[in-house]
Amino acid sequence: MPKDGIGAATKRREDVRFLTGNGRYTDDINLRGQAYVWFVRSQVAHGKITKLDTSDAAKMPGVIRIFTGDDFAQVGGVPCGWQVTDRHGKPMLEPKHPVLAQGKVRYVGDAIAAVVAETEAQARDAAEALVVDIEELPAVIDMKAAVKAGSPLVHEDIGSNLCYDWGFVEENKAAVDAAFAKADHVTTLELVNNRLVPNAMEPRVAVGDYDFSTDHHTLYTTSQNPHVIRLLMGAFVLGIPEHKLRVVAPDVGGGFGSKIFHYIEEAFVTFAAKQLRRPVKWTAQRSESFITDAHGRDHVTKIELALSKDGTFQAIRTETYANMGAYLSTFAPSVPTWLHGTLMAGNYRTPLIYVNVKAVFTNTVPVDAYRGAGRPEATYQLERVIDKAARELKMDPIALRRKNFVTEFPYQTPVAVVYDTGNYNATMDKLSEMADLAGFEKRRAASAAKGRLRGLGVNCYIEACGIAPSHLVGQLGARAGLYESATVRVNATGNIVVMTGSHSHGQGHETAFPQVVADLIGIPAENVEIVHGDTANTPMGMGTYGSRSLAVGGSALVKATNKIISKAKKIAAHLLEASEEDIELKEGKFSVAGTDKSVDWGSVCLAAYVPHNYPLESLEPGLEETAFYDPSNFTYPAGAYACEVEVDPDTGKVTICSFAAADDFGNIVNPMIVEGQVHGGLGQGIGQALLEGAVYDENGQLLSGSYMDYAMPRADDVPFYKVDHSCQTPCTHNPLGVKGCGEAGAIGSPPAVVNAVIDALQRGGHDVTHIDMPLSPSRVWAAMNQA
């Protein structure tokens, strides 16, 4: 096999252009005759638009046209891609989401008007001259208050702020309640999973173009899934046939889920480009991103764990309020339900589980998937309540977890999903070794000598990746298929171009995907090039999210490559005058089994395009194949994490001393890329645990609307990580045996950090059982002193 095939820690080839400033991002795209748009956005969270006077602004230098909600009266609203049915069998409430506000604003940042001008500065100046009067209405921010009778309605037309009241598994509820009634011990914990702002390095950008001679639209956008944007915007918003709409997502500077969704700015620039017959460009300002990019998390949960006297888990019961914000973003309804409720079993054998989720509209920025999407929320509440139960039962937290681990596979959970493989004791064993858990007491004593409180937090996680199969998620409310695609084109000289429906925005596809092809054929990975991000030259695919690229997109690539190999063997058989069944492919060479007759890969490829030596009536020329892959199940990465912290008792400041992560990702294609993905996820999870938090006041103003008030993790906030992925239990149902790694760090790290802080405080004599994230110095100090 080639030295740069599967398993090789080769450097990411795409980094050369990024590090040398040669990346091509959407903001680098400037078209001839391009105009610029500046959006006028609401500065109040809730109100009626009583006056919108554009007359003075329209006369200002450079202004081309000012658009308002009236211009979009006959245009469809931004669609939601997932419908959830509530516990009573009724579909969720689904209000219209207009491109520009029509009569009412519903959150700070809601777009009221759009000024298109010759330059961005001229558009901004004219936007400031627009006269907008808004009759301010009471805003609803608190979720529990929002669902009370008499609360102000975010959408009067649907008659309620309750989007849905979901129960899962509803048939289990009575049995769960009965288990709690007779349980020896019940641990209860109320907690908040704090709202986060994604803050990708690259703000969102959209450029719309229109060719009137062909009636053809092009949208350049910062997207994780251009084909989905083409489908949603073309079919449901603007009514553009897909063959008349091209969506291009070039290099994208990070997404973390926030660039999955279809946003109003994309629809606007596409619409305006046709109206004006010239390109229209929008680039978000960072402060604009804080109030327009979909936020993440924002759950308020009560979780209960029923146990027997010996610590055996009997049942889990949860009630969660999940914030939808003012409108339903693309996948928002699925995050607190099917991506959260189905993971409430965790790594454990809990026979009975009931999950209730109330999704609530509020006058805040819409909330949707953010790195992990539902899985971090499930893991956090489960691993926190287990730690609390261990303390109440005076059991070792690791021993309690081991006692309840799933140990036999496949395992049918009580929340629908089936774990195909895993070894949770192995990852815990590896973690104990990596983190030197046996030496903790010595380190704690050293911290105490310095006047610091040292704590150890351990937790496990499991996640469901791939977000498929299509027939299953369709039954659960998905309004699109969730397969993936690949086209493999072999050129006459043997080099290869792969066109994939997956999108790379930091995952390393341009390096890892060639490793897969190289390994299958036996050629150097440098002979394989990856094309992605353009609907005009890639097969229809669902994009990149949910740690699905390699498990789903990579499997499509394997299928297409195997088709190539199958055809190439037929050609080789003709060239070698042998039976196709006797042809073997090893290290880039076709040979006849048991003989020394062979022909190299390049010669077979050339013969495919210069078919002089085989009959065309039985085998057509060329060497190009397309495959679609729709998995039969999710994949289930899992792991165990350990965090050690020091707490300054005088200030409450938390310092992370060490962090170890033992993950089971199945087979590994590129260890270096995997390690980088885990590092990034850990940084984001630590950020959530200690620093980040989007905070609204009672009037719906985002108080943490800039980096002055929203604390992002910096290099000195995180330790040097110890990571390991040697505990491999390959996935049983995809051809690569891979599981996914991109979100694990963000899923497993928040509870590890919080568990460690609580451990430090309790060991230091402070009766603190929980502190909500972020664990800022002021919160920790207050908890210590109140206790």
Side-chain angles (χ1 to χ4, degrees):
M1 289 295 101
K3 63 181 181 180
D4 52 2
I6 291 175
T10 57
K11 292 182 179 179
R12 299 195 338 162
R13 64 171 70 171
E14 51 267 64
D15 286 346
V16 174
R17 70 174 186 275
F18 296 146
L19 294 173
T20 58
N22 289 302
R24 186 171 184 261
Y25 298 90
T26 307
D27 196 49
D28 293 324
I29 296 171
N30 292 291
L31 306 177
R32 182 180 179 184
Q34 176 178 284
Y36 297 81
V37 61
W38 192 275
F39 289 94
V40 179
R41 300 187 183 275
S42 177
Q43 297 180 20
V44 301
H46 196 197
K48 294 179 180 178
I49 302 171
T50 58
K51 182 179 180 180
L52 182 52
D53 186 350
T54 64
S55 56
D56 290 341
K59 299 173 186 175
M60 294 187 68
V63 173
I64 300 168
R65 180 171 167 181
I66 299 175
F67 293 82
T68 68
D70 291 342
D71 294 295
F72 290 85
Q74 304 304 314
V75 172
V78 176
C80 178
W82 202 296
Q83 182 184 68
V84 166
T85 301
D86 74 9
R87 55 192 294 236
H88 307 294
K90 297 180 180 179
M92 66 187 188
L93 298 181
E94 191 171 358
K96 182 179 179 181
H97 185 179
V99 176
L100 295 177
Q102 296 177 351
K104 189 178 179 183
V105 293
R106 294 180 170 86
Y107 67 97
V108 173
D110 210 353
I112 299 170
V115 179
V116 181
E118 297 292 346
T119 69
E120 185 179 65
Q122 289 172 330
R124 181 182 63 241
D125 290 344
E128 292 174 353
L130 226 66
V131 178
V132 182
D133 288 342
I134 297 176
E135 177 188 336
E136 194 165 356
L137 299 172
V140 56
I141 307 302
D142 180 83
M143 287 184 283
K144 292 184 179 180
V147 297
K148 290 182 179 179
S151 175
L153 295 177
V154 180
H155 299 273
E156 291 88 348
D157 54 320
I158 62 174
S160 176
N161 290 327
L162 184 63
C163 178
Y164 56 76
D165 182 359
W166 184 77
F168 187 71
V169 174
E170 194 65 28
E171 293 77 11
N172 289 351
K173 188 176 187 304
V176 170
D177 291 343
F180 272 92
K182 64 181 182 181
D184 295 329
H185 183 85
V186 174
T187 296
T188 302
L189 182 62
E190 297 188 29
L191 50 81
V192 173
N193 206 294
N194 42 324
R195 180 185 279 238
L196 303 174
V197 179
N199 283 313
M201 186 178 293
E202 176 200 27
R204 288 189 298 113
V205 184
V207 183
D209 194 17
Y210 176 69
D211 185 344
F212 72 90
S213 66
T214 60
D215 190 32
H216 196 277
H217 302 258
T218 302
L219 169 67
Y220 302 91
T221 183
T222 46
S223 176
Q224 298 176 217
N225 48 359
H227 284 279
V228 174
I229 301 304
R230 182 177 69 161
L231 175 64
L232 293 176
M233 185 181 75
F236 299 103
V237 185
L238 301 179
I240 303 171
E242 283 185 276
H243 71 292
K244 293 291 186 180
L245 175 60
R246 175 190 179 199
V247 176
V248 181
D251 289 329
V252 172
F256 314 121
S258 69
K259 293 174 182 173
I260 298 171
F261 324 121
H262 175 40
Y263 289 94
I264 64 105
E265 294 85 4
E266 295 168 323
F268 176 84
V269 297
T270 306
F271 177 85
K274 181 175 182 178
Q275 296 292 308
L276 303 176
R277 290 197 174 187
R278 59 187 296 185
V280 177
K281 182 176 186 177
W282 170 74
T283 300
Q285 307 297 302
R286 180 59 69 180
S287 58
E288 200 173 14
S289 295
F290 271 88
I291 57 172
T292 62
D293 291 4
H295 291 176
R297 313 289 193 252
D298 204 354
H299 289 188
V300 176
T301 295
K302 177 182 178 181
I303 180 170
E304 299 168 286
L305 174 62
L307 308 93
S308 63
K309 290 179 181 178
D310 67 355
T312 301
F313 296 172
Q314 301 292 325
I316 292 170
R317 183 167 58 193
T318 75
E319 181 184 35
T320 292
Y321 288 81
N323 206 330
M324 295 290 101
Y327 298 102
L328 290 178
S329 182
T330 306
F331 291 119
S334 68
V335 174
T337 53
W338 300 113
L339 300 183
H340 157 246
T342 54
L343 271 297
M344 282 309 304
N347 308 63
Y348 312 104
R349 302 184 311 273
T350 307
L352 293 166
I353 298 175
Y354 179 72
V355 179
N356 175 244
V357 177
K358 297 174 176 65
V360 183
F361 292 112
T362 61
N363 293 115
T364 62
V365 173
V367 179
D368 209 321
Y370 173 73
R371 197 169 191 169
R375 283 72 57 85
E377 294 89 324
T379 300
Y380 181 66
Q381 56 187 281
L382 182 59
E383 292 297 319
R384 284 291 299 120
V385 80
I386 291 173
D387 236 48
K388 187 169 185 279
R391 296 186 186 283
E392 292 174 353
L393 294 173
K394 295 180 171 52
M395 292 184 66
D396 176 73
I398 295 177
L400 180 60
R401 288 174 168 86
R402 285 187 185 272
K403 180 178 183 63
N404 291 281
F405 275 160
V406 174
T407 56
E408 296 181 2
F409 297 88
Y411 175 71
Q412 173 65 65
T413 72
V415 279
V417 297
V418 178
Y419 302 161
D420 63 325
T421 185
N423 189 337
Y424 310 144
N425 276 303
T427 51
M428 185 63 79
D429 290 343
K430 174 56 70 172
L431 179 75
S432 298
E433 172 193 327
M434 294 167 59
D436 183 24
L437 299 186
F440 171 72
E441 286 300 330
K442 182 178 180 181
R443 295 189 294 275
R444 187 169 79 88
S447 295
K450 298 185 298 181
R452 298 289 188 268
L453 307 178
R454 195 177 189 103
L456 168 66
V458 173
N459 71 276
C460 301
Y461 79 90
I462 188 169
E463 60 167 324
C465 298
I467 319 299
S470 296
H471 75 275
L472 173 60
V473 296
Q475 295 171 21
L476 303 182
R479 289 166 168 167
L482 292 176
Y483 50 83
E484 200 44 82
S485 62
T487 295
V488 177
R489 176 180 297 161
V490 182
N491 297 316
T493 53
N495 47 60
I496 295 172
V497 177
V498 173
M499 291 148 281
T500 174
S502 299
H503 185 276
S504 182
H505 43 278
Q507 292 80 5
H509 296 173
E510 294 175 40
T511 301
F513 282 8
Q515 289 181 253
V516 172
V517 177
D519 205 79
L520 290 171
I521 297 174
I523 60 175
E526 65 186 23
N527 291 1
V528 184
E529 182 175 313
I530 304 299
V531 175
H532 64 93
D534 188 340
T535 62
N537 58 23
T538 57
M540 175 71 175
M542 292 295 105
T544 296
Y545 45 85
S547 303
R548 71 193 302 268
S549 295
L550 196 58
V552 187
S555 295
L557 177 56
V558 170
K559 285 184 67 176
T561 304
N562 283 336
K563 288 183 180 181
I564 290 288
I565 293 171
S566 178
K567 183 175 180 179
K569 283 184 175 180
K570 291 181 172 67
I571 298 172
H574 283 286
L575 297 178
L576 296 171
E577 298 179 334
S579 169
E580 181 186 338
E581 289 72 24
D582 293 332
I583 299 297
E584 299 176 338
L585 173 60
K586 293 181 180 179
E587 299 181 2
K589 183 180 292 186
F590 295 92
S591 60
V592 180
T595 75
D596 59 358
K597 296 174 63 177
S598 66
V599 60
D600 63 79
W601 168 257
S603 298
V604 171
C605 297
L606 182 62
Y609 290 94
V610 186
H612 294 167
N613 297 309
Y614 60 88
L616 292 179
E617 64 270 15
S618 61
L619 197 62
E620 64 186 33
L623 205 50
E624 179 174 327
E625 298 287 350
T626 296
F628 289 78
Y629 179 75
D630 202 341
S632 59
N633 191 4
F634 298 101
T635 63
Y636 299 98
Y641 288 2
C643 176
E644 288 189 27
V645 301
E646 283 186 342
V647 178
D648 185 337
D650 295 326
T651 65
K653 178 176 172 54
V654 176
T655 300
I656 297 181
C657 305
S658 64
F659 201 108
D663 296 292
D664 174 6
F665 296 136
N667 292 336
I668 303 295
V669 170
N670 187 310
M672 186 191 73
I673 290 177
V674 169
E675 187 169 336
Q677 288 288 313
V678 174
H679 281 201
L682 292 175
Q684 285 183 277
I686 291 170
Q688 176 176 12
L690 296 182
L691 299 161
E692 299 183 53
V695 179
Y696 281 91
D697 69 11
E698 66 276 9
N699 299 312
Q701 295 294 330
L702 182 62
L703 300 180
S704 51
S706 76
Y707 289 139
M708 294 295 290
D709 302 293
Y710 187 95
M712 294 286 287
R714 301 186 180 191
D716 61 352
D717 293 313
V718 299
F720 286 97
Y721 309 116
K722 295 180 181 178
V723 300
D724 179 87
H725 40 259
S726 63
C727 300
Q728 298 174 7
T729 59
C731 174
T732 60
H733 55 79
N734 70 53
L736 288 168
V738 298
K739 294 185 177 183
C741 68
E743 297 165 299
I747 293 169
S749 53
V753 174
V754 177
N755 287 347
V757 173
I758 299 301
D759 183 64
L761 299 186
Q762 294 220 346
R763 290 175 186 270
H766 300 278
D767 186 21
V768 177
T769 59
H770 182 68
I771 305 172
D772 278 326
M773 300 183 292
L775 274 64
S776 61
S778 61
R779 286 189 176 185
V780 175
W781 185 89
M784 294 168 63
N785 284 275
Q786 288 168 5

